[in-house]
Amino acid sequence: MSLTRKLSVVAATAVLLGGVAACGSSSSSDGEGSAAGSSVSSSGSELVVYSGRDEDLVDPLIDRIGAGVGVPVEVDYSGNTNAQAAKILEEGDRSPADVFLGQDAGALGALDDAGVLAPLPQDILDRVPEQYRGADGTWVATSARARVLAYNTDDVQTADLPTGIDGILDPRWKGKIGYAPTNASFQAFVTGLRVARGDDGAERWLRAFAANEPVSFEGNGPLISAVDDGQIAAGLTNHYYFYPYVAEKGSAASLALHSFDANDPGSLVNVAGVGVLTSADNQEQAFALVREMLSNSSQQYFADETAEYPVIGGITSKYDLPPLPQGASDLDLGQLASLEQTQAMLTKVGMI
């Protein structure tokens, strides 16, 4: 990659850092990095992970798998996924990070485009289906999630549910749909929409959506609660916010999930994932960490603790997860890397 190209990616991701700062204050149920935590420095005797996933989620897993890495593991939780990716790009070869753990394929793709991620060993790549890893083998998914429409079962009849995202533009949904515009997952959905329909088509949809007066939330956790409470009739979210919420609330919950039709942009399947930096001081130990995150026990952890889909076979969640939707999951997740353009479009239409 040329220096000009790398610098342009650095600048683009720095824009994202400012645009998604609100994500860092989301609750832990949002699966994003918390604002707590401090910068770390690598002495070469420990493995340094920059995590865009929440400390409450990641730390118990690191405690369980750390012994298999060979050196102590230190984790920086000081920003959300996009902020941590931006920090890596800003630090360049001086970054103390060995590993990037992200909530979203777009951030992984941005780092890949910048040339800062190392090719992963073949045994790691073979562990994960091709659609859940970088096209050039520099990152792999650690878990998957599906975009869905959560709806209030007291307010919405199943016969009235839209088959695709164009259906929620109907005036009947005016002021009744929730969304979380600063959340990385919503922005990944918009990026997928841009890939599917082009920038002009995506902007037309966003403007029509905005004209239908959707209700903005700071995160998906509050959005799910608002749907259940009847503040809104439905909300665009990820599937895994629903299952722990309903498990805790039981029959008192007035919630259900609806999946859009296959090939609709609203049925996007996205992933959390991991990559190893080319500048890593402890590259072999970093690869060992990736292997541990793809072990059966770690995949079971993701399936049971956050109701995410495992990315290896043979793992069954304690939650009754339906099969992943087909169609939109065929999108090359590497195409979600154009986050700067998505941020610019959301700003242009007044959503962030």
Side-chain angles (χ1 to χ4, degrees):
M1 170 177 292
S2 70
L3 178 60
T4 300
R5 171 61 177 151
K6 180 173 286 191
L7 288 175
S8 71
V9 176
V10 172
T13 313
V15 170
L16 290 175
L17 176 57
V20 300
C23 294
S25 61
S26 300
S27 67
S28 61
S29 63
D30 283 337
E32 291 289 333
S34 67
S38 59
S39 296
V40 296
S41 61
S42 175
S43 65
S45 61
E46 71 263 346
L47 190 72
V48 177
V49 179
Y50 277 15
S51 177
R53 305 218 68 183
D54 189 80
E55 184 173 2
D56 290 342
L57 170 66
V58 174
D59 248 21
L61 179 61
I62 295 297
D63 287 343
R64 291 170 56 174
I65 68 178
V69 175
V71 294
V73 181
E74 189 173 359
V75 187
D76 181 324
Y77 298 103
S78 62
N80 60 56
T81 288
N82 292 334
Q84 294 287 59
K87 184 163 64 171
I88 287 172
L89 290 172
E90 290 166 352
E91 292 171 342
D93 291 342
R94 300 175 291 101
S95 179
D98 298 297
V99 175
F100 172 70
L101 178 60
Q103 171 72 7
D104 175 73
L108 287 156
L111 292 180
D112 183 25
D113 282 353
V116 302
L117 296 182
L120 296 170
Q122 192 62 44
D123 69 290
I124 292 177
L125 299 176
D126 289 344
R127 186 84 170 143
V128 179
E130 187 174 358
Q131 68 266 34
Y132 297 141
R133 62 191 196 223
D136 54 0
T138 60
W139 61 266
V140 291
T142 53
S143 57
R145 60 190 183 274
R147 293 294 290 177
V148 293
L149 185 73
Y151 67 96
N152 185 290
T153 53
D154 295 329
D155 294 340
V156 180
Q157 301 298 311
T158 56
D160 294 330
L161 290 166
T163 59
I165 59 169
D166 293 332
I168 61 176
L169 305 179
D170 190 291
R172 76 171 70 181
W173 296 104
K174 190 169 186 176
K176 297 180 179 181
I177 300 289
Y179 75 123
T182 62
N183 186 271
S185 295
F186 179 80
Q187 293 174 8
F189 151 70
V190 174
T191 307
L193 179 62
R194 290 178 45 240
V195 171
R197 298 187 178 180
D199 283 355
D200 289 345
E203 184 175 335
R204 281 195 298 271
W205 187 90
L206 288 170
R207 290 192 181 280
F209 182 56
N212 224 20
E213 300 178 6
V215 182
S216 174
F217 291 86
E218 290 187 0
N220 287 300
L223 183 153
I224 283 286
S225 296
V227 175
D228 184 37
D229 293 344
Q231 298 176 43
I232 51 176
L236 296 167
T237 186
N238 288 336
H239 82 277
Y240 62 82
Y241 295 95
F242 167 85
Y243 290 94
Y245 182 93
V246 171
E248 181 176 345
K249 197 160 184 181
S251 60
S254 300
L255 275 176
L257 295 185
H258 171 65
S259 294
F260 295 120
D261 285 353
N263 296 311
D264 187 85
S267 63
L268 174 69
V269 174
N270 202 349
V271 298
V274 62
V276 174
L277 273 66
T278 56
S279 59
D281 290 330
N282 298 296
Q283 202 165 85
E284 289 305 315
Q285 289 82 1
F287 293 149
L289 179 71
V290 176
R291 291 185 182 97
E292 292 289 340
M293 298 195 79
L294 296 175
S295 68
N296 285 7
S297 61
S298 294
Q299 290 291 292
Q300 192 71 58
Y301 176 87
F302 285 119
D304 289 342
E305 292 302 315
T306 62
E308 293 175 281
Y309 287 92
V311 294
I312 65 172
I315 306 297
T316 302
S317 173
K318 70 179 183 182
Y319 299 104
D320 187 20
L321 300 180
L324 275 169
Q326 300 299 309
S329 59
D330 295 336
L331 174 73
D332 177 1
L333 294 175
Q335 294 179 285
L336 299 180
S338 57
L339 297 173
E340 180 197 13
Q341 293 92 324
T342 292
Q343 287 276 339
M345 182 175 292
L346 289 170
T347 300
K348 182 180 179 181
V349 301
M351 287 188 170
I352 58 174

